[in-house]
Amino acid sequence: MLGLKLLTDPRWANIAESNLEEILTDHAWCEQKAASNAISLITQNSELEDLVHELTAIAIEEMEHFKMVIDIIKERGYELGRERKDDYVGQLMKFAKKDGSRNQAFIDRLLFAAMIEARSCERFRVLSKNIKDQDLAKFYHDLMVSEANHYTTFLNFAKKYTKDVDVDKRWKEWLEFEGNLIQSYGKKEQIHG
Ligand SMILES: [Fe+2]
Ligand SMILES: [Fe+2]
């Protein structure tokens, strides 16, 4: 799915469903971070008109997702906890190239975003197919579609602005790295946990 090397064990969905307050809190912050990431890409690349416009739409959409999640938290009588640390995303960030040319760092930043969208999409799919709560299953199905579109947007921008980077080759490296990384996860009630 979306080139991912390793699919999530469906039993992770049972872990997630066993602590909905925790998974929803973690999820809400994932959406907020996705919005922040889009905003910072806009700030750093303001000369790219198409990117500014498309990522503005994504930032808004991610905050709409945030709103949907905090609404569910409220309806169910849960509390939005403090922002959760996302160890998986931290490891991906370490893999992203920061040296090299400005363009190389920019392309890797787009691939970093595409990678997170791809895995989030896959995790939402696992939730939508495996949790017993049918309202949440439908909710996660809808979000899965949305994150798949974001994945495509980020990957397409990486391909469009490729210049000095072999994007296909670098994307394969990302998929390899992520495939190994994700083996250590799938045990916690976190979207990337
Ligand atoms: Fe989202
Ligand atoms: Fe997204």
Side-chain angles (χ1 to χ4, degrees):
M1 183 190 183
L2 308 177
L4 294 171
K5 297 285 179 199
L6 187 73
L7 297 182
T8 299
D9 185 328
R11 284 173 295 184
W12 165 78
N14 306 121
I15 299 171
E17 194 164 28
S18 71
N19 192 349
L20 284 180
E21 187 167 26
E22 180 58 32
I23 192 91
L24 288 166
T25 285
D26 180 68
H27 178 187
W29 292 114
C30 286
E31 300 292 358
Q32 177 271 333
K33 283 177 245 189
S36 295
N37 188 56
I39 292 167
S40 88
L41 273 162
I42 291 166
T43 311
Q44 289 158 12
N45 302 281
S46 53
E47 72 281 14
L48 305 177
E49 190 188 24
D50 55 351
L51 180 134
V52 168
H53 280 263
E54 284 204 47
L55 295 200
T56 297
I58 287 184
I60 292 168
E61 205 180 326
E62 301 293 20
M63 283 315 287
E64 284 168 357
H65 294 168
F66 179 79
K67 173 79 164 68
M68 288 178 204
V69 181
I70 61 169
D71 283 348
I72 293 171
I73 288 172
K74 192 175 174 197
E75 276 160 29
R76 293 181 178 228
Y78 299 146
E79 268 178 38
L80 172 67
R82 302 286 294 177
E83 185 197 343
R84 301 301 196 247
K85 191 171 169 285
D86 194 328
D87 185 61
Y88 164 83
V89 169
Q91 296 298 322
L92 291 183
M93 188 49 115
K94 281 189 202 159
F95 183 69
K97 273 197 171 55
K98 286 146 209 102
D99 49 359
S101 69
R102 179 179 180 239
N103 193 61
Q104 283 168 341
F106 167 55
I107 298 298
D108 243 34
R109 190 72 198 279
L110 291 169
L111 296 180
F112 161 81
M115 194 75 257
I116 300 168
E117 295 289 355
R119 181 57 68 185
S120 304
C121 176
E122 192 262 349
R123 286 291 175 94
F124 291 164
R125 182 170 185 274
V126 173
L127 287 175
S128 75
K129 293 218 170 285
N130 295 287
I131 55 177
K132 291 172 200 80
D133 185 314
Q134 286 308 298
D135 292 336
L136 280 182
K138 162 89 175 66
F139 174 64
Y140 279 110
H141 175 83
D142 294 346
L143 286 193
M144 170 187 86
V145 175
S146 170
E147 310 306 356
N149 289 332
H150 298 166
Y151 153 84
T152 305
T153 301
F154 286 116
L155 206 52
N156 285 346
F157 275 127
K159 287 177 180 166
K160 180 171 180 180
Y161 291 108
T162 175
K163 289 186 204 160
D164 56 347
V165 182
D166 182 342
V167 170
D168 289 338
K169 179 169 170 274
R170 184 63 184 149
W171 181 237
K172 283 199 187 103
E173 290 170 3
W174 271 99
L175 290 170
E176 284 295 331
F177 176 79
E178 201 269 352
N180 288 322
L181 178 66
I182 202 69
Q183 289 178 29
S184 319
Y185 296 86
K187 300 168 189 80
K188 277 201 223 162
E189 58 272 57
Q190 290 185 326
I191 296 298
H192 307 121

